[in-house]
């Protein structure tokens, strides 16, 4: 099967014939009406748009600048920590980055696997069933992901880190941090 080389010419010819049929079926009154509508359409398309009809927002309508949450930096157990207090419906969000730039290439390739299985591992204080029950009863779970941060000055370089995230109700905040702490401090490779 090959394409028809005369397709475009045939298409134009068929289009012209159909147009002639349609125009020959119209009387002078309908042709005049179509012509007048065409002139009106042309005039409206060439006219400058009336922007007064559209709702507009100007800078004078905005009374004050947005309130950005205050970010405070504190040292907690020798780790610089950014704390941002904002109203979140009594939920505390916790995000932690671990620097893994010291890992070898082979070790970095295992990090995604580690992120998938870490929730099925126990700690030195709890076996994996107890730890999983504790985490899921007090938090929304602890999630680990590989995190890439590009270097702003050099597009070819980046920094790797391991991101741990969790969230819990404010009243469970201390237990949430406890779970995160024992997950980080006493992780063991014992599984059942």
């Amino acid at each position: 099967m090959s394409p028809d080389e005369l397709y475009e010419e045939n298409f134009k010819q068929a289009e012209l014939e159909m147009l002639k049929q349609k125009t020959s079926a119209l009387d002078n009154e309908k042709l005049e009406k179509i012509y007048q509508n065409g002139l009106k359409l042309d005039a409206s398309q060439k006219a400058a748009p009336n922007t007064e009809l559209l709702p507009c927002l100007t800078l004078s309508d905005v009374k004050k600048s947005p309130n950005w949450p205050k970010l405070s930096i504190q040292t907690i157990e020798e780790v610089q920590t950014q704390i941002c207090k904002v109203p979140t419906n009594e939920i505390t969000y916790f995000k932690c980055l671990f620097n893994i730039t010291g890992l070898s290439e082979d070790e970095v390739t295992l990090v995604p696997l580690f992120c998938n299985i870490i929730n099925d591992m126990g700690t030195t204080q709890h076996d994996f069933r107890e730890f999983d029950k504790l985490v899921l009863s007090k938090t929304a779970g602890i999630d680990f992901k590989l995190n890439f941060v590009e270097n702003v000055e050099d597009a070819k370089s980046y920094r790797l880190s391991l991101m741990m995230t969790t969230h819990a109700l404010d009243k469970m905040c201390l237990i949430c941090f406890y779970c995160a702490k024992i997950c980080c401090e006493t992780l063991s490779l014992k599984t059942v």
Side-chain angles (χ1 to χ4, degrees), residues 168-190:
L169 295 173
D170 286 347
K171 61 185 177 184
M172 299 291 183
C173 186
L174 291 176
I175 297 172
C176 174
F177 290 150
Y178 168 75
C179 291
K181 181 179 177 183
I182 63 172
C183 186
C184 297
E185 283 183 351
T186 61
L187 193 64
S188 76
L189 297 177
K190 297 178 189 174

Side-chain angles (χ1 to χ4, degrees), residues 58-88:
T58 61
L59 285 176
S60 62
D61 295 332
V62 180
K63 299 298 180 203
K64 62 178 184 176
S65 61
N67 294 331
W68 298 106
K70 293 180 182 176
L71 186 68
S72 63
I73 298 176
Q74 297 178 3
T75 302
I76 301 173
E77 293 195 22
E78 300 177 18
V79 176
Q80 268 198 336
T81 307
Q82 294 179 350
I83 298 176
C84 180
K85 294 183 180 181
V86 292
T88 56

Side-chain angles (χ1 to χ4, degrees), residues 95-115:
K95 186 184 288 187
C96 182
L97 293 174
F98 299 99
N99 185 2
I100 60 170
T101 53
L103 297 179
S104 68
E105 271 190 49
D106 292 336
E107 291 170 333
V108 169
T109 59
L110 295 174
V111 171
L113 174 65
F114 173 75
C115 293

Side-chain angles (χ1 to χ4, degrees), residues 8-90:
E8 286 189 32
E9 290 178 25
N10 292 339
F11 183 79
K12 286 180 184 177
Q13 187 64 33
E15 198 174 42
L16 285 173
E17 287 176 15
M18 186 175 71
L19 191 59
K20 283 181 185 176
Q21 283 179 348
K22 297 230 180 224
T23 54
S24 64
L26 297 173
D27 59 356
N28 287 339
E29 184 180 319
K30 287 184 180 178
L31 285 172
E32 183 64 28
K33 188 174 181 182
I34 291 172
Y35 178 73
Q36 292 301 325
N37 285 339
L39 290 177
K40 287 179 188 176
L41 177 63
D42 185 49
S44 68
Q45 287 177 340
K46 290 180 180 175
N50 184 3
T51 57
E52 297 298 320
L53 300 174
L54 300 172
C56 294
L57 185 65
T58 61
L59 285 176
S60 62
D61 295 332
V62 180
K63 299 298 180 203
K64 62 178 184 176
S65 61
N67 294 331
W68 298 106
K70 293 180 182 176
L71 186 68
S72 63
I73 298 176
Q74 297 178 3
T75 302
I76 301 173
E77 293 195 22
E78 300 177 18
V79 176
Q80 268 198 336
T81 307
Q82 294 179 350
I83 298 176
C84 180
K85 294 183 180 181
V86 292
T88 56
N89 294 336
E90 298 181 359

